[in-house]
């Protein structure tokens, strides 16, 4: 890998920033000053340092983000702020992306990574990784809806939704529920409640697979996943 790319991916700055520190002679490979950004680094063998501080390369990174409303789940957008803008410059790498989508107004658990394999494992329709949402809806959610969601709902797709688990927390004019689904169809939760004649007014994802959102993360806050959390993410709920 080129030295400038290596340094960017290690969080040492943008391409132009790392080029400057390379030109300034601040970067060493195996003890020798490396002055050209295009020099190749063997990321598994070479010792790279900036100002004498070792810089270690990790191939894959995984962050748990508590997505706030108002951000789109994309790497770039012409109109809206993206979830990538919530990451510190030091943690941002060019190859990172949000694993799956939450709507702009949805909050909660979103994984940011650069690992396409894990993304595929979680998102593949065949894998049926459970996702649990805390939902506020206008209208009284009743036992009949628990049954309806368990049996599958017609949301205008070729087939009914797969069995989903609805747990009623409060059944009032505005109801509160937990809903666990094992698919990820476009606007799925909102469309399921619409099919039941109700409107979702607040939506937050709280769990994916066996991984729960860290409730100490403020909206917009994020942290790396631990190894055991990474396993939990890929487990079927
Ligand atoms: N279902 C929705 O309707 N929206 C989301 O953001 C996620 C699931």
């Amino acid at each position: 890998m080129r030295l400038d790319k290596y340094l960017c991916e290690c969080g040492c700055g943008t391409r132009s920033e790392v080029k400057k520190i390379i030109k300034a002679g601040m970067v060493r490979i195996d003890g020798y000053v490396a002055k050209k950004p295009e020099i190749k680094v063997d990321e598994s063998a070479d010792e790279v340092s900036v100002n004498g501080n070792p810089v270690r390369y990790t191939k894959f990174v995984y962050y748990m983000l508590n997505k706030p409303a108002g951000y789109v789940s994309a790497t770039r957008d012409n109109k809206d702020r993206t979830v990538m803008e919530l990451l510190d410059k030091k943690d941002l790498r060019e190859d990172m992306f949000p694993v799956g989508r939450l709507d702009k107004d949805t909050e909660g658990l979103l994984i940011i990574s650069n690992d396409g394999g894990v993304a595929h494992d979680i998102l593949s329709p065949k894998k049926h990784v459970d996702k649990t949402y805390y939902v506020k809806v206008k209208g009284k959610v009743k036992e009949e809806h628990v049954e309806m969601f368990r049996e599958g709902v017609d949301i205008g797709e070729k087939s009914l939704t797969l069995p989903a688990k609805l747990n009623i927390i409060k059944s009032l004019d505005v109801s509160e529920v937990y809903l666990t689904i094992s698919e990820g169809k476009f606007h799925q939760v909102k469309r399921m409640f619409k099919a039941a004649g109700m409107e979702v007014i607040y939506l937050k994802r709280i769990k994916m697979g066996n991984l729960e959102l860290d409730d100490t993360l403020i909206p917009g806050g994020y942290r790396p996943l631990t190894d055991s959390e990474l396993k939990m993410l890929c487990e079927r709920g």
Side-chain angles (χ1 to χ4, degrees):
M1 181 187 304
R2 283 174 58 121
L3 178 59
D4 53 354
K5 182 163 194 275
Y6 177 96
L7 292 172
C8 283
E9 299 207 340
C10 293
C12 297
T14 60
R15 273 289 169 116
S16 58
E17 286 166 350
V18 302
K19 277 184 179 157
K20 277 187 201 142
I21 61 171
I22 296 168
K23 291 252 157 73
M26 291 153 74
V27 181
R28 286 174 185 259
I29 302 176
D30 290 335
Y32 295 98
V33 173
K35 280 216 156 182
K36 290 193 174 148
E38 64 273 19
I39 282 179
K40 290 280 192 284
V41 178
D42 176 348
E43 57 273 18
S44 56
D46 291 339
E47 289 280 334
V48 180
S49 65
V50 175
N51 278 334
N53 299 314
V55 174
R56 304 228 186 283
Y57 179 78
T58 348
K59 189 164 182 206
F60 293 126
V61 288
Y62 310 89
Y63 291 99
M64 171 193 291
L65 168 73
N66 183 2
K67 179 191 174 295
Y71 288 78
V72 292
S73 306
T75 47
R76 275 192 205 93
D77 197 272
N78 292 333
K79 189 163 66 69
D80 289 309
R81 292 175 296 182
T82 74
V83 289
M84 306 310 289
E85 293 172 40
L86 294 162
L87 300 192
D88 246 45
K89 226 164 78 177
K90 71 170 174 40
D91 298 322
L92 202 57
R93 288 169 52 155
E94 282 173 355
D95 54 356
M96 285 162 82
F97 55 88
V99 178
R101 279 169 191 272
L102 289 177
D103 297 339
K104 185 175 164 189
D105 57 352
T106 301
E107 299 182 2
L109 178 58
L110 186 67
I111 303 300
I112 309 279
S113 178
N114 60 341
D115 184 347
V118 158
H120 176 265
D121 279 355
I122 301 165
L123 302 175
S124 163
K126 287 190 197 126
K127 304 271 173 162
H128 300 312
V129 171
D130 281 350
K131 294 131 202 131
T132 302
Y133 296 85
Y134 166 77
V135 197
K136 275 191 193 171
V137 287
K138 261 193 206 162
K140 274 205 169 103
V141 180
K142 301 185 188 142
E143 277 310 311
E144 71 196 61
H145 301 116
V146 175
E147 184 64 26
M148 176 184 175
F149 282 18
R150 184 168 49 226
E151 294 201 331
V153 183
D154 181 359
I155 58 168
E157 301 274 334
K158 269 187 243 142
S159 44
L160 299 184
T161 54
L162 291 176
K165 194 164 175 240
L166 187 57
N167 282 318
I168 302 173
I169 310 167
K170 261 187 205 161
S171 173
L172 297 167
D173 290 345
V174 170
S175 300
E176 291 174 43
V177 301
Y178 293 120
L179 176 64
T180 302
I181 58 175
S182 59
E183 308 162 276
K185 298 214 164 82
F186 184 63
H187 293 332
Q188 179 158 343
V189 175
K190 291 173 184 164
R191 288 161 72 199
M192 287 174 76
F193 279 101
K194 194 165 176 219
M198 285 176 273
E199 186 197 347
V200 169
I201 54 172
Y202 178 79
L203 186 57
K204 179 177 183 178
R205 183 158 61 199
I206 55 168
K207 195 170 171 191
M208 284 172 88
N210 282 331
L211 175 68
E212 289 185 28
L213 176 66
D214 178 343
D215 60 13
T216 65
L217 286 176
I218 56 162
Y222 69 96
R223 64 159 175 81
L225 285 187
T226 64
D227 290 345
S228 61
E229 283 177 331
L230 181 60
K231 274 200 206 115
M232 292 162 108
L233 174 65
C234 300
E235 282 164 7
R236 294 166 56 178

